[in-house]
Structure formats: structure tokens, C-alpha cells
Amino acid sequence: MNIILTTLNAKYIHTNLALRCLKSYAEPEYSPLITEYTIKDPTFNIVADLYQKKPDIVGFSCYIWNIEETIKVIKILKTVDPNIKIILGGPEVSYDTNIWLRQVKEIDYIVVGEGELTFKELLNFLHGKQSLKNVPGVAYVKDDKFILNPLPKKLDLRESPSPFRFEEDLPTLSKRIVYIETSRGCPFSCQFCLSSIEVGVRYFNRDKVKEDIRFLMANGAKTIKFVDRTFNISRSYAMEMFQFLIDEHLPGVVFQFEITADIMRPEVIQFLNDNAPAGLFRFEIGVQSTNDLTNELVKRRQNFEKLKRTVTMVKSGGKIDQHLDLIAGLPEEDYDSFRNTFNEVFEMRPEELQLGFLKLLRGTGLRVEAEKYGYVYVDQAPYEIFSNNVLTFDDILRIKQVEDVLEKYWNAHRMDQTLEYLFDQTFDTPFDFFQQFGTFWEERNWSKIGHQLEDLFIRLNTFLEGIENLSLPVVQSVMKLDYLSKQKFQPRKPWWSNDITKEEQSTLYKQLVVNPSLAGDEFASLQMNERELYKQTFITPISICIDSFKQGIIKEKEGYLLTTFGNGPTPHFYFIEQNQQSHLIL
């Protein structure tokens, strides 16, 4: 029989680890073909590609982000060839299995939960080697009766074969994210998360994991993401793996982990700060909420003070980027409480802050208790809530406006100095800035159109023009610094209107040729002639003193910002006072 394992990834760069685990476990008796698509691929194209491979069996890996598109594919595929056996597996169909089988008649079998053993035994049945009733963990409908066979025992992960040795994967390893797991299960019981359902944590063989990582790096993998739900639950294990990765990593490889920050010991962080190369590791930390009652209701144990200690220590080390997550819509967290959560977490200035919205996933405790908290949602993936008893749909929409500009302006780090100035000088809290700007953004329908870097500066400037008690020339000066710091060459069309005439520019350049110390001794040491000035520098009026700004002090002073390009990876800034007195460099 011709067997295909497939899925619809969110993006091309993603890879599906589950399919590779199924394939490696099925071998050598069976050799499934793995073929991956994305949710953006046209449904007809996916069906046509699958059909032309002439499969007898097609297994789909299902998640909240792909289930709707997957069902479309299944229905058409079964229509064009009713003889194909359709098998589904994955977290999205492992719960409410009876509903899936009743609603989507084209599904023949569903593999429930951990799928390696069940899938292989199901293949044995389909090849006439055993009875269906003896296949553990499979769900199906027979004579209009729903049947779910008893689940199998958990696998001994130490004996699991490697899912990373398929030759067909090697050509694209450097272009895609490689997902790897060193453990399964989670010790916590957060009621919004599917991981809370599996009790206990099981580990793969450490030596095999290390060999897999060596193999992946040797074959070009650049981004390796650990999918362990809490990578650092065992301090000794995490330390061993960190040491291994530090010792044996290859240049250009990045490792990403999901960690629980409040259980990470200071000595572990200090070890990483002292020994990890910059950029080698990236941490993802789920904070979700700082509301104690909310955390208690969702059975989430979290010591926020220890979490802050970890995030702050890691950030001070300057070696590891951190991605922190929040969830809007958790029980008893109203708009004001979420604003407080946001500000408390943002105070740590994570490199990325992801603002998500509660999804009532099938199988989770919160979905069971949805009525208790007044949740309103549509029973269709991704099951995102619209409101609850303390958060209205209007509140949700307002927070989504925050999410939009947070991603574009903070997480992209296009103008950090400008944002810090606004947080400090103009807005009560960072959340208030993002909320007011986000609402302004939405009212102008900017979320519906594309943008380039210059557009982001122009739109922020447009917003700030309407803010009272704001020194617009000063903040525009900071915006100029942010913009120019991102340029490798002279900008041909900066975001601001031309604010210096050719005659004024020519006069300044002539003066700099005669007396380059007008821009400071360091600039004078460059010994630029007039032609080089025109070719390698950019000059614009500015309203702040550069040397004071470098020290974190905004001191208003009229002059010119002289930016030079080509003397290093980033531009250099020099200041010329209007009275032609020299000033220092950034």
C-alpha cells in the first residue's frame, strides 16, 4: 500500500515533528512518504498533488491552525477517490473524537493522543495483519456506533527511533525551523493548556538526543527549537544540555527553548551569562497574567517576583533574547487588570512581548468550565473567546488594537529610543501609549494596508501631532536618530519632509571641509573632502543635544545632525550647533 503522511503547516519554514516520529516508528515494515503543505496553498492544488501520488492511505496531522483547511482537503480527496483511507491525528482531533467522526463522514479513523504505536498497529490492520479491535487508541464508527479502543501504554521514549535521519529532509534543513523534543509531558496543571492533561514528564535518551543535534548541525540546520513544555523542569538535565550546546554548537546555529522562569535558579542564569555565546540561545517564557486570583483559578503556580528576577538577570547578561507571552481573557482578568499585567511585564523590557487571546481548546479544563465564567465563543477553530463575565467584546477589540502596534513598533525594534522617550515623557504607562496609538491606527484603517519602514515613522508622527503637552521637535529628533541608525547607506527619501535647502547643506559642507572640528575631533580625524561628504554623509536639523542624549538625558538644543555611513556596520552621529561650536559624537 502507498502511505502518505501530511499536514498543512502555518508557514513553509515550519516542519512537522509528529509526521517524522510516525514515519520513523513505522519503519522498516512501512515506508510512509512525508509531504507538507501550508494553509496558504490552494485546496485544489493540495488535493491534486496528493491524488497524483496515488495513495491508499493518507494520514493528516491536525491542529487548531489547520483543521478547517484540512477538512476541505479531506472532503475533496475522498470525493475524487473514495477508496483512500483517511486517518487523522494530533491534538485538535484527540478530544471530542466522536463529534469529529460524526461531522466529517470522510474520516475513516482517528489516532488519539500519542500516535506512534497506534498508527503502526493501524497500518498492520489495514494490511490484514491484525484485527481492528486490537489496535489501541484508535477511534472509528462501525454500524453507526462510535468506538474508541483503549489507549496504549505510554511509549518508553528512551527506545524511540530518531525522526531526523531521512535523506529527503537534508536539502532544506538550513531553510526551515527544526523542532526537537527531549521530553514529553508537563508537571503543571494550567487549565487553558492541553499539556496539563498528561500527567508526569518522560525523557528521551540523552545520548541519542545529542547525536541527533550533532547530525542536524552537521547537515546545515540553523534554527533548532525545543518543543519541551518546560525545558528546565530538571535543573541537572537543563544544565547538562546547556553545557553540551555551548561546547558543541556550530557557528550560526540558534537554539530556542520554552522555559518556566520562576523555577530557574540564579546560578543557572549566571552560568549562561558567563559561558553562552551571544545569540546562541533564545527563551520563550509564558507569563500569561500577573493577577493572583486569575492564576489561582486556572491552577497556574507562578511566583512573579522570581520570574522577574530571572528575566532581569538574563537581560542584564546580554546574551539571550527573551520572548514573553501574555493571554487576554483569562478568568476574572478585566480590562484594567490586563492593563496592569501588561505594564508589569513590559517593565522588564523583553525583546519580544506577544499578546495572545484565550482559546478554549478542546480537552482543556477552561473549556469544560466555560459557562461558569460566562465565556462567549464559536465552537470552531481556533476557539478564541469574544467575551466573558468581566471582559466585553469591546474590551477584546481594544486590546487587539494594542497587539497590532505592539508587534510593529516594539517587537520589531524599529524605534526603541523614541518609544522609551514617549513612555517616560508623554504617556502614563506603555500600555496607554500602545492603546491610544492602536486605536488611532485602527480608526484610519492602516491595519488593512501594507507598510514600509518610512510609513511606520510617518504614521507615528501623524499620531503624535495630535498629542497635547508634547514637544514635537524633540520627539521628531529622536525619531530621526532611530531611523538613521537603521540605515546602511544614505537614505534617498527619509520619512520626514526635506528640512534643509541645498544651499544650506552646501554651506555647511564647505565649512566642514575648512574646519572639520565643527563636528568634533573624531569627525575631524576622518579627513573627508567635499566629494566624500556628499557621498558618505547625511545632514538634517535636530533639536536635541547628542552627547546629553547618549547619557539618557533629553536636552533641547538646536543644531544639525551629521550622519556618516561606511565607516563601520552602523552609522556614526555628530552634532553641529547652530552657532557653529563643535560638539561631541554619539
Side-chain angles (χ1 to χ4, degrees), residues 11-15 169-178 216 219-223:
K11 297 178 180 179
Y12 167 77
I13 61 170
H14 298 160
T15 52
D169 282 337
L170 301 185
T172 60
L173 280 180
S174 64
K175 304 179 182 69
R176 307 178 75 183
I177 300 172
V178 178
L216 290 168
N219 284 277
K222 296 300 182 185
T223 303

PDB file of all heavy atoms in Angstrom, residues 11-15 169-178 216 219-223:
ATOM      1  N   LYS A  11       3.422  28.024   7.996  1.00  0.00           N
ATOM      2  CA  LYS A  11       4.332  28.646   7.028  1.00  0.00           C
ATOM      3  C   LYS A  11       5.273  27.578   6.492  1.00  0.00           C
ATOM      4  O   LYS A  11       5.476  26.529   7.117  1.00  0.00           O
ATOM      5  CB  LYS A  11       5.158  29.770   7.679  1.00  0.00           C
ATOM      6  CG  LYS A  11       4.345  30.941   8.198  1.00  0.00           C
ATOM      7  CD  LYS A  11       5.263  31.964   8.860  1.00  0.00           C
ATOM      8  CE  LYS A  11       4.487  33.149   9.398  1.00  0.00           C
ATOM      9  NZ  LYS A  11       5.376  34.133  10.069  1.00  0.00           N
ATOM     10  N   TYR A  12       5.907  27.883   5.377  1.00  0.00           N
ATOM     11  CA  TYR A  12       6.842  26.933   4.781  1.00  0.00           C
ATOM     12  C   TYR A  12       8.007  26.630   5.714  1.00  0.00           C
ATOM     13  O   TYR A  12       8.495  25.489   5.774  1.00  0.00           O
ATOM     14  CB  TYR A  12       7.385  27.480   3.451  1.00  0.00           C
ATOM     15  CG  TYR A  12       8.584  26.702   2.956  1.00  0.00           C
ATOM     16  CD1 TYR A  12       8.420  25.452   2.354  1.00  0.00           C
ATOM     17  CD2 TYR A  12       9.883  27.199   3.129  1.00  0.00           C
ATOM     18  CE1 TYR A  12       9.524  24.717   1.936  1.00  0.00           C
ATOM     19  CE2 TYR A  12      10.983  26.471   2.707  1.00  0.00           C
ATOM     20  CZ  TYR A  12      10.801  25.234   2.105  1.00  0.00           C
ATOM     21  OH  TYR A  12      11.888  24.508   1.697  1.00  0.00           O
ATOM     22  N   ILE A  13       8.471  27.627   6.462  1.00  0.00           N
ATOM     23  CA  ILE A  13       9.664  27.424   7.289  1.00  0.00           C
ATOM     24  C   ILE A  13       9.417  26.437   8.425  1.00  0.00           C
ATOM     25  O   ILE A  13      10.363  25.910   9.001  1.00  0.00           O
ATOM     26  CB  ILE A  13      10.185  28.756   7.874  1.00  0.00           C
ATOM     27  CG1 ILE A  13       9.129  29.414   8.767  1.00  0.00           C
ATOM     28  CG2 ILE A  13      10.654  29.683   6.779  1.00  0.00           C
ATOM     29  CD1 ILE A  13       9.670  30.593   9.546  1.00  0.00           C
ATOM     30  N   HIS A  14       8.140  26.183   8.766  1.00  0.00           N
ATOM     31  CA  HIS A  14       7.847  25.236   9.829  1.00  0.00           C
ATOM     32  C   HIS A  14       7.950  23.799   9.310  1.00  0.00           C
ATOM     33  O   HIS A  14       7.715  23.533   8.128  1.00  0.00           O
ATOM     34  CB  HIS A  14       6.440  25.469  10.379  1.00  0.00           C
ATOM     35  CG  HIS A  14       6.260  26.816  10.978  1.00  0.00           C
ATOM     36  ND1 HIS A  14       5.036  27.398  11.177  1.00  0.00           N
ATOM     37  CD2 HIS A  14       7.160  27.727  11.424  1.00  0.00           C
ATOM     38  CE1 HIS A  14       5.171  28.592  11.710  1.00  0.00           C
ATOM     39  NE2 HIS A  14       6.467  28.812  11.868  1.00  0.00           N
ATOM     40  N   THR A  15       8.326  22.901  10.198  1.00  0.00           N
ATOM     41  CA  THR A  15       8.318  21.483   9.876  1.00  0.00           C
ATOM     42  C   THR A  15       7.478  20.756  10.912  1.00  0.00           C
ATOM     43  O   THR A  15       7.324  21.238  12.043  1.00  0.00           O
ATOM     44  CB  THR A  15       9.743  20.896   9.878  1.00  0.00           C
ATOM     45  OG1 THR A  15      10.388  21.224  11.111  1.00  0.00           O
ATOM     46  CG2 THR A  15      10.560  21.433   8.726  1.00  0.00           C
ATOM     47  N   ASP A 169      14.874  15.140   3.940  1.00  0.00           N
ATOM     48  CA  ASP A 169      14.824  16.365   4.746  1.00  0.00           C
ATOM     49  C   ASP A 169      16.112  17.183   4.656  1.00  0.00           C
ATOM     50  O   ASP A 169      16.104  18.391   4.920  1.00  0.00           O
ATOM     51  CB  ASP A 169      14.566  16.025   6.220  1.00  0.00           C
ATOM     52  CG  ASP A 169      13.120  15.696   6.507  1.00  0.00           C
ATOM     53  OD1 ASP A 169      12.249  16.123   5.721  1.00  0.00           O
ATOM     54  OD2 ASP A 169      12.850  15.009   7.511  1.00  0.00           O
ATOM     55  N   LEU A 170      17.204  16.542   4.315  1.00  0.00           N
ATOM     56  CA  LEU A 170      18.506  17.192   4.425  1.00  0.00           C
ATOM     57  C   LEU A 170      18.662  18.445   3.563  1.00  0.00           C
ATOM     58  O   LEU A 170      19.235  19.437   4.028  1.00  0.00           O
ATOM     59  CB  LEU A 170      19.618  16.191   4.099  1.00  0.00           C
ATOM     60  CG  LEU A 170      19.673  14.941   4.990  1.00  0.00           C
ATOM     61  CD1 LEU A 170      20.899  14.105   4.645  1.00  0.00           C
ATOM     62  CD2 LEU A 170      19.673  15.313   6.464  1.00  0.00           C
ATOM     63  N   PRO A 171      18.149  18.471   2.313  1.00  0.00           N
ATOM     64  CA  PRO A 171      18.380  19.664   1.482  1.00  0.00           C
ATOM     65  C   PRO A 171      17.766  20.949   2.023  1.00  0.00           C
ATOM     66  O   PRO A 171      18.214  22.036   1.663  1.00  0.00           O
ATOM     67  CB  PRO A 171      17.746  19.277   0.132  1.00  0.00           C
ATOM     68  CG  PRO A 171      17.754  17.788   0.118  1.00  0.00           C
ATOM     69  CD  PRO A 171      17.521  17.380   1.540  1.00  0.00           C
ATOM     70  N   THR A 172      16.740  20.833   2.873  1.00  0.00           N
ATOM     71  CA  THR A 172      16.050  22.047   3.339  1.00  0.00           C
ATOM     72  C   THR A 172      16.289  22.356   4.807  1.00  0.00           C
ATOM     73  O   THR A 172      15.673  23.274   5.350  1.00  0.00           O
ATOM     74  CB  THR A 172      14.535  21.916   3.089  1.00  0.00           C
ATOM     75  OG1 THR A 172      14.027  20.773   3.814  1.00  0.00           O
ATOM     76  CG2 THR A 172      14.226  21.755   1.616  1.00  0.00           C
ATOM     77  N   LEU A 173      17.168  21.624   5.468  1.00  0.00           N
ATOM     78  CA  LEU A 173      17.390  21.844   6.898  1.00  0.00           C
ATOM     79  C   LEU A 173      17.793  23.282   7.205  1.00  0.00           C
ATOM     80  O   LEU A 173      17.369  23.856   8.209  1.00  0.00           O
ATOM     81  CB  LEU A 173      18.463  20.892   7.421  1.00  0.00           C
ATOM     82  CG  LEU A 173      18.037  19.454   7.744  1.00  0.00           C
ATOM     83  CD1 LEU A 173      19.226  18.660   8.257  1.00  0.00           C
ATOM     84  CD2 LEU A 173      16.895  19.420   8.745  1.00  0.00           C
ATOM     85  N   SER A 174      18.612  23.878   6.364  1.00  0.00           N
ATOM     86  CA  SER A 174      19.101  25.235   6.640  1.00  0.00           C
ATOM     87  C   SER A 174      18.040  26.297   6.404  1.00  0.00           C
ATOM     88  O   SER A 174      18.188  27.431   6.868  1.00  0.00           O
ATOM     89  CB  SER A 174      20.323  25.534   5.769  1.00  0.00           C
ATOM     90  OG  SER A 174      19.971  25.534   4.397  1.00  0.00           O
ATOM     91  N   LYS A 175      16.967  25.943   5.704  1.00  0.00           N
ATOM     92  CA  LYS A 175      15.953  26.938   5.325  1.00  0.00           C
ATOM     93  C   LYS A 175      14.719  26.898   6.233  1.00  0.00           C
ATOM     94  O   LYS A 175      13.841  27.744   6.097  1.00  0.00           O
ATOM     95  CB  LYS A 175      15.508  26.702   3.874  1.00  0.00           C
ATOM     96  CG  LYS A 175      16.633  26.710   2.850  1.00  0.00           C
ATOM     97  CD  LYS A 175      16.096  26.435   1.459  1.00  0.00           C
ATOM     98  CE  LYS A 175      17.195  26.387   0.418  1.00  0.00           C
ATOM     99  NZ  LYS A 175      18.060  25.202   0.584  1.00  0.00           N
ATOM    100  N   ARG A 176      14.655  25.907   7.129  1.00  0.00           N
ATOM    101  CA  ARG A 176      13.435  25.728   7.902  1.00  0.00           C
ATOM    102  C   ARG A 176      13.763  25.586   9.385  1.00  0.00           C
ATOM    103  O   ARG A 176      14.900  25.323   9.776  1.00  0.00           O
ATOM    104  CB  ARG A 176      12.667  24.500   7.402  1.00  0.00           C
ATOM    105  CG  ARG A 176      12.420  24.526   5.902  1.00  0.00           C
ATOM    106  CD  ARG A 176      11.702  23.287   5.416  1.00  0.00           C
ATOM    107  NE  ARG A 176      10.286  23.306   5.779  1.00  0.00           N
ATOM    108  CZ  ARG A 176       9.455  22.303   5.512  1.00  0.00           C
ATOM    109  NH1 ARG A 176       9.887  21.204   4.929  1.00  0.00           N
ATOM    110  NH2 ARG A 176       8.178  22.387   5.864  1.00  0.00           N
ATOM    111  N   ILE A 177      12.747  25.766  10.220  1.00  0.00           N
ATOM    112  CA  ILE A 177      12.904  25.537  11.657  1.00  0.00           C
ATOM    113  C   ILE A 177      12.816  24.040  11.918  1.00  0.00           C
ATOM    114  O   ILE A 177      11.883  23.377  11.451  1.00  0.00           O
ATOM    115  CB  ILE A 177      11.809  26.271  12.452  1.00  0.00           C
ATOM    116  CG1 ILE A 177      11.879  27.781  12.210  1.00  0.00           C
ATOM    117  CG2 ILE A 177      11.934  25.974  13.941  1.00  0.00           C
ATOM    118  CD1 ILE A 177      10.713  28.550  12.808  1.00  0.00           C
ATOM    119  N   VAL A 178      13.782  23.515  12.646  1.00  0.00           N
ATOM    120  CA  VAL A 178      13.757  22.101  13.023  1.00  0.00           C
ATOM    121  C   VAL A 178      13.259  22.002  14.460  1.00  0.00           C
ATOM    122  O   VAL A 178      13.813  22.637  15.363  1.00  0.00           O
ATOM    123  CB  VAL A 178      15.158  21.467  12.911  1.00  0.00           C
ATOM    124  CG1 VAL A 178      15.108  20.014  13.349  1.00  0.00           C
ATOM    125  CG2 VAL A 178      15.676  21.579  11.486  1.00  0.00           C
ATOM    126  N   LEU A 216      22.002  17.120  12.988  1.00  0.00           N
ATOM    127  CA  LEU A 216      21.270  18.248  12.402  1.00  0.00           C
ATOM    128  C   LEU A 216      22.211  19.411  12.098  1.00  0.00           C
ATOM    129  O   LEU A 216      22.149  20.011  11.020  1.00  0.00           O
ATOM    130  CB  LEU A 216      20.153  18.688  13.344  1.00  0.00           C
ATOM    131  CG  LEU A 216      18.983  17.719  13.493  1.00  0.00           C
ATOM    132  CD1 LEU A 216      18.086  18.117  14.659  1.00  0.00           C
ATOM    133  CD2 LEU A 216      18.167  17.648  12.200  1.00  0.00           C
ATOM    134  N   ASN A 219      24.460  18.846   9.155  1.00  0.00           N
ATOM    135  CA  ASN A 219      23.765  18.862   7.868  1.00  0.00           C
ATOM    136  C   ASN A 219      23.074  20.202   7.588  1.00  0.00           C
ATOM    137  O   ASN A 219      22.176  20.265   6.746  1.00  0.00           O
ATOM    138  CB  ASN A 219      22.769  17.713   7.795  1.00  0.00           C
ATOM    139  CG  ASN A 219      23.453  16.377   7.555  1.00  0.00           C
ATOM    140  OD1 ASN A 219      23.769  16.010   6.432  1.00  0.00           O
ATOM    141  ND2 ASN A 219      23.713  15.649   8.650  1.00  0.00           N
ATOM    142  N   GLY A 220      23.470  21.243   8.316  1.00  0.00           N
ATOM    143  CA  GLY A 220      23.067  22.587   7.935  1.00  0.00           C
ATOM    144  C   GLY A 220      21.948  23.231   8.705  1.00  0.00           C
ATOM    145  O   GLY A 220      21.568  24.368   8.411  1.00  0.00           O
ATOM    146  N   ALA A 221      21.376  22.548   9.703  1.00  0.00           N
ATOM    147  CA  ALA A 221      20.286  23.155  10.472  1.00  0.00           C
ATOM    148  C   ALA A 221      20.774  24.429  11.157  1.00  0.00           C
ATOM    149  O   ALA A 221      21.844  24.443  11.759  1.00  0.00           O
ATOM    150  CB  ALA A 221      19.745  22.173  11.496  1.00  0.00           C
ATOM    151  N   LYS A 222      19.985  25.490  11.065  1.00  0.00           N
ATOM    152  CA  LYS A 222      20.369  26.782  11.657  1.00  0.00           C
ATOM    153  C   LYS A 222      19.487  27.170  12.837  1.00  0.00           C
ATOM    154  O   LYS A 222      19.941  27.838  13.762  1.00  0.00           O
ATOM    155  CB  LYS A 222      20.301  27.874  10.589  1.00  0.00           C
ATOM    156  CG  LYS A 222      21.292  27.684   9.448  1.00  0.00           C
ATOM    157  CD  LYS A 222      22.721  27.666   9.949  1.00  0.00           C
ATOM    158  CE  LYS A 222      23.724  27.518   8.816  1.00  0.00           C
ATOM    159  NZ  LYS A 222      25.101  27.385   9.308  1.00  0.00           N
ATOM    160  N   THR A 223      18.206  26.799  12.797  1.00  0.00           N
ATOM    161  CA  THR A 223      17.289  27.118  13.894  1.00  0.00           C
ATOM    162  C   THR A 223      16.698  25.821  14.420  1.00  0.00           C
ATOM    163  O   THR A 223      15.973  25.127  13.708  1.00  0.00           O
ATOM    164  CB  THR A 223      16.160  28.048  13.437  1.00  0.00           C
ATOM    165  OG1 THR A 223      16.723  29.241  12.875  1.00  0.00           O
ATOM    166  CG2 THR A 223      15.257  28.412  14.604  1.00  0.00           C
TER     167      THR A 223
END
